[in-house]
Amino acid sequence: MVKQPAIASRGYLPILIDGPDLRGNDPALLYNPKYFTPIKTASLYVPIKRDGDTAYTRDILYVKGLLMNELVHIFVNHWPSRRGGEDASAPLRAQAAEVCREVIDSILDANDESKIIVMGDFNDDPMSPSIKKVLRANKDMEDLNIAELYNPFAYYYLEGIGTLAWQDAWNLFDQVILSKAWIDQTQKGFFYN
């Protein structure tokens, strides 16, 4: 992909994981080494059970790095699909959210001003329980406590905007969610605008 003529001159590099998903659909992060320096990468295993048996889904890609010398934590997600129906498959996405949230909590416990980006195809909307309750992503940036995340995509969803249509309705599965540290516009580093 990075060798495609349209972007080859930009010098992007990939970080990817080869996880247990049988189809090979694994998360990846493209970055420009002029602006971002990876420090640590990890593949976060998402243990899921389907009908009592172990099922395999995509791991979550975790990348810790320096964005122009500012420490950031990035989680690239592609949570389990809605195959079998939204309600029947919801516990699988909740399990993926729990894996992501556990690492987020450990980062925030060490430094509650950590800048965290959680992004990807969640196969759930901003108001779904996996996003709102398990990941604890809130649509209101003013009311965030330090453990909550801010989901600016919730407003798009509530306005009827989506990234895919299914049975004549919009869904917004593709989202970028931020920790509270991105909200303060008076700090020296990068902030959400």
Side-chain angles (χ1 to χ4, degrees):
M1 179 184 290
V2 297
K3 294 178 183 175
Q4 293 299 311
I7 64 169
S9 66
R10 299 193 180 228
Y12 292 127
L13 295 175
I15 298 174
L16 48 114
I17 55 176
D18 188 16
D21 183 68
L22 298 175
R23 297 170 297 168
N25 286 338
D26 297 308
L29 177 72
L30 294 184
Y31 69 95
N32 187 326
K34 290 193 300 190
Y35 307 110
F36 184 77
T37 304
I39 296 171
K40 174 185 176 181
T41 63
S43 182
L44 307 178
Y45 174 64
V46 179
I48 60 172
K49 297 283 185 188
R50 183 172 278 153
D51 300 325
D53 295 325
T54 299
Y56 294 97
T57 189
R58 297 159 287 268
D59 287 359
I60 298 169
L61 173 61
Y62 166 65
V63 180
K64 175 182 175 180
L66 296 174
L67 177 61
M68 298 179 68
N69 294 318
E70 186 168 2
L71 186 64
V72 296
H73 303 267
I74 303 168
F75 295 83
V76 183
N77 298 265
H78 191 173
W79 290 357
S81 74
R82 292 186 171 195
R83 186 177 52 168
E86 179 182 352
D87 292 338
S89 60
L92 306 179
R93 290 182 298 285
Q95 290 171 10
E98 287 170 7
V99 168
C100 194
R101 188 66 224 199
E102 185 176 305
V103 179
I104 290 169
D105 285 341
S106 68
I107 292 167
L108 291 174
D109 284 346
N111 179 2
D112 62 8
E113 294 182 6
S114 294
K115 291 196 173 171
I116 299 169
I117 301 170
V118 184
M119 65 183 183
D121 177 350
F122 296 96
N123 276 307
D124 263 339
D125 294 310
M127 307 319 261
S128 297
S130 65
I131 303 287
K132 277 193 66 128
K133 293 182 180 169
V134 181
L135 204 54
R136 297 198 312 265
N138 191 334
K139 68 177 178 56
D140 299 314
M141 77 169 92
E142 304 84 34
D143 298 330
L144 288 182
N145 69 45
I146 201 65
E148 289 178 312
L149 303 173
Y150 172 58
N151 189 351
F153 284 73
Y155 286 104
Y156 293 116
Y157 179 71
L158 294 172
E159 292 290 324
I161 298 170
T163 56
L164 70 121
W166 172 253
Q167 296 181 347
D168 294 327
W170 281 107
N171 290 102
L172 207 163
F173 291 172
D174 306 292
Q175 303 165 54
V176 178
I177 300 169
L178 306 168
S179 63
K180 184 176 180 175
W182 292 97
I183 305 305
D184 179 7
Q185 296 188 8
T186 63
Q187 50 148 322
K188 294 180 188 175
F190 290 106
F191 57 84
Y192 172 73
N193 184 11

